[in-house]
Amino acid sequence: MVSKQGRQEGPIDPEDGPLAVFAIGLRELREECGHPTYRALATLSAKVGSPYSDTTFSTAARGHTPPSRAVVLAYVRACLAYAKTDEQKVTRSLAEWAARWEALDAALAPTLSTAPDETPEPAHQAQAGPPAGEAGVSDHSGGLPAHRQASGHRIRGRRKAMAILGGVAVLAGIGVAVRYIGAPGAATAESGPHARPSQVTPLPAAAAPSAAPSPTPGVGGNSRCARLRYVNGLAWSPCTQVDTEKLDFAVWLSNPGKKPVTVKIKMAYVQAGTAYACPGRWGTGVQVEMAPGATMTSPEKVCPAGKLPATAFQAKAWVIAPDQDSWGYREMSQTVHIQADGVTAIWADEA
């Protein structure tokens, strides 16, 4: 198999830690499978039901930020599809890479007792960038800017320390109030959204734990959310939920800080590799103010989709600071595959 390769990838030093070693492994797998281009992998990933962009795959193998499990399994499956690997070996390889990802996730997972260099980076940027985030294009998943790359461990340690402090400060669900804030102007697909004001929507109060770990996104039922991303200290994640008749797409948010945080949110979903905006204001853009210690999910059933047979789905969301003019980075939930019977749902981590 012959493939034309673009720019040479930057070198990775395995001494940089488990994330670097993991990325080297991804590169070696691609080499062993015939060195397909990332564009070819993106095309193949859509054909096997787990569509991701070439940028997402190249970011996963860059070694700057940890990829999600779904991205890793889609990358592996696409590489093996390019090499025309038999299904038995595909199954073994997926199990092996799932275990390797679990080991990486455990190595990077935040705990209250670990040192900053052992915790993952909170991010607004693709796959894990700075908490305040630089704007990028909506189809991009990754990469730190050049001046960040040069700083290496020093920057990661600083961000990871912030993640620990943020996790300790979480007070889940204390008398939460959510307010949608309007602003003049019209919403566009790639510019700051503006929504008309609406009344405060209180959420149920709950007792706060004395010291909570980093929040875990979730919407209940048969659902999956993406890894946590951060903007202005606010944690967020897009989620997909499957019931007997349809799918619901949502954004989960948590403000672990002691001050209100206002963000702008836009929601969409991906169906068979094609993105569709959610209906109403949540699909064009809405501002949300999160009270200190608040945890919330976008309103129920604002973004449903039918369970089309033999189709893959993902939630897609943007969460940015209110003063940003571009939607910048987008995050996507794990892929769910609706089987040919139109009923059975299999998640990417179950495939």
Side-chain angles (χ1 to χ4, degrees):
M1 281 169 285
V2 178
S3 64
K4 295 182 179 179
Q5 187 64 29
R7 293 181 301 173
Q8 291 294 319
E9 294 180 296
I12 300 177
D13 185 353
E15 296 299 321
D16 283 346
L19 181 57
V21 173
F22 190 85
I24 290 172
L26 289 176
R27 290 187 181 186
E28 290 175 346
L29 175 67
R30 186 164 71 99
E31 192 69 33
E32 292 168 3
C33 290
H35 203 71
T37 64
Y38 288 115
R39 186 178 296 275
L41 292 183
T43 301
L44 286 167
S45 73
K47 289 181 179 179
V48 297
S50 299
Y52 286 98
S53 70
D54 54 342
T55 302
T56 299
F57 287 145
S58 65
T59 298
R62 194 173 297 162
H64 294 162
T65 54
S68 70
R69 175 173 176 161
V71 166
V72 170
L73 295 182
Y75 179 105
V76 172
R77 190 185 291 273
C79 284
L80 298 177
Y82 184 85
K84 294 182 170 56
T85 307
D86 65 82
E87 280 302 315
Q88 191 174 16
K89 185 175 179 181
V90 169
T91 300
R92 290 198 306 268
S93 295
L94 288 173
E96 174 192 340
W97 278 96
R100 292 174 71 167
W101 183 91
E102 293 289 351
L104 174 67
D105 192 55
L108 300 179
T111 64
L112 297 182
S113 59
T114 49
D117 280 343
E118 297 173 351
T119 55
E121 307 164 30
H124 169 68
Q125 194 66 356
Q127 300 297 328
E134 292 99 3
V137 238
S138 61
D139 274 341
H140 282 40
S141 334
L144 295 171
H147 70 282
R148 296 277 187 187
Q149 295 175 19
S151 300
H153 288 304
R154 176 169 53 83
I155 294 177
R156 286 198 296 271
R158 186 181 307 133
R159 291 185 192 150
K160 294 169 185 177
M162 292 174 64
I164 292 176
L165 294 176
V168 175
V170 173
L171 299 177
I174 306 176
V176 182
V178 179
R179 182 170 60 206
Y180 308 112
I181 307 169
T188 61
E190 293 299 332
S191 62
H194 304 288
R196 290 176 296 183
S198 66
Q199 295 180 346
V200 171
T201 304
L203 297 181
S210 56
S214 296
T216 301
V219 294
N222 185 15
S223 65
R224 296 285 195 281
C225 297
R227 291 173 66 91
L228 282 180
R229 303 301 172 202
Y230 292 80
V231 56
N232 286 1
L234 182 100
W236 66 277
S237 176
C239 305
T240 299
Q241 184 183 55
V242 183
D243 64 24
T244 55
E245 297 179 353
K246 67 181 186 315
L247 302 97
D248 283 302
F249 306 100
V251 176
W252 177 96
L253 307 102
S254 180
N255 178 10
K258 297 181 180 180
K259 296 181 180 180
V261 176
T262 299
V263 292
K264 294 189 290 193
I265 303 171
K266 186 172 70 169
M267 293 171 54
Y269 64 94
V270 176
Q271 173 182 306
T274 302
Y276 297 90
C278 294
R281 289 191 302 150
W282 287 85
T284 56
V286 60
Q287 284 194 180
V288 173
E289 183 182 279
M290 292 284 294
T295 296
M296 66 154 285
T297 306
S298 54
E300 290 185 19
K301 302 177 182 178
V302 297
C303 193
K307 294 173 69 176
L308 297 180
T311 305
F313 293 88
Q314 288 175 286
K316 184 176 182 180
W318 297 256
V319 179
I320 59 176
D323 57 351
Q324 287 186 271
D325 294 323
S326 171
W327 280 106
Y329 172 65
R330 60 96 181 101
E331 180 60 272
M332 299 169 72
S333 71
Q334 187 177 137
T335 301
V336 61
H337 306 272
I338 305 303
Q339 302 303 291
D341 60 9
V343 177
T344 307
I346 298 180
W347 297 94
D349 62 356
E350 299 172 336

